[in-house]
Amino acid sequence: LMGWAAMRGQVELPALLLYAGGIFWTLGYDTIYAHQDKKDDALIGIKSTALLLGERTAPWLRGFYCAAVLLWICAGAASGSNPLFYILMAAALFHFLWLVANTNLENPSSCRSGFLYNAYQGGFIVFMACAFA
């Protein structure tokens, strides 16, 4: 938001949509991360999305990632992005859904890998989409 305001002199709808998408993306990867140590969290009384969502985590993760990409697509539409942006956003969504399907939330090592794939591969695809918007 600060960067957008610095460049444009005000905060506009695309920036707000990008920001909102970022919140949902963070909910997704942070929940995967939280599953790494959910047993310790439960033991010491820390409340986390991993404990809150429990067995229902995967559908919530899909929802978080779909909401993030949908908001980013709306931001692209509001700012007049080109077709490559939408293609890369579709690739990002595919990646995030693949990630949810292939992360074993009961295995801390798998959660760590899922968290890192989210950042490096998913983040790179989203970055490229925005760079070529």
Side-chain angles (χ1 to χ4, degrees):
L1 294 176
M2 296 299 292
W4 188 284
M7 294 299 294
R8 303 273 186 139
Q10 62 186 3
V11 176
E12 298 167 317
L13 179 62
L16 295 171
L17 293 168
L18 285 171
Y19 188 80
I23 291 170
F24 282 102
W25 185 30
T26 302
L27 283 168
Y29 71 72
D30 189 60
T31 298
I32 292 172
Y33 187 86
H35 270 274
Q36 290 182 98
D37 53 6
K38 63 185 171 187
K39 290 177 185 174
D40 293 331
D41 290 352
L43 187 64
I44 60 175
I46 295 176
K47 293 178 172 54
S48 70
T49 54
L51 294 176
L52 176 68
L53 301 176
E55 296 292 321
R56 302 177 321 264
T57 295
W60 278 96
L61 288 173
R62 288 190 292 273
F64 293 151
Y65 286 124
C66 286
V69 172
L70 177 62
L71 287 161
W72 293 333
I73 287 171
C74 290
S79 63
S81 292
N82 65 44
L84 182 57
F85 172 81
Y86 300 103
I87 292 168
L88 289 169
M89 279 292 129
L93 180 59
F94 176 79
H95 172 76
F96 294 136
L97 295 177
W98 174 88
L99 182 75
V100 172
N102 289 284
T103 300
N104 179 352
L105 298 172
E106 299 305 318
N107 179 327
S109 177
S110 179
C111 292
R112 183 177 190 282
S113 294
F115 173 77
L116 293 174
Y117 282 131
N118 180 86
Y120 296 124
Q121 283 83 9
F124 180 74
I125 296 168
V126 171
F127 170 77
M128 294 305 289
C130 293
F132 291 112

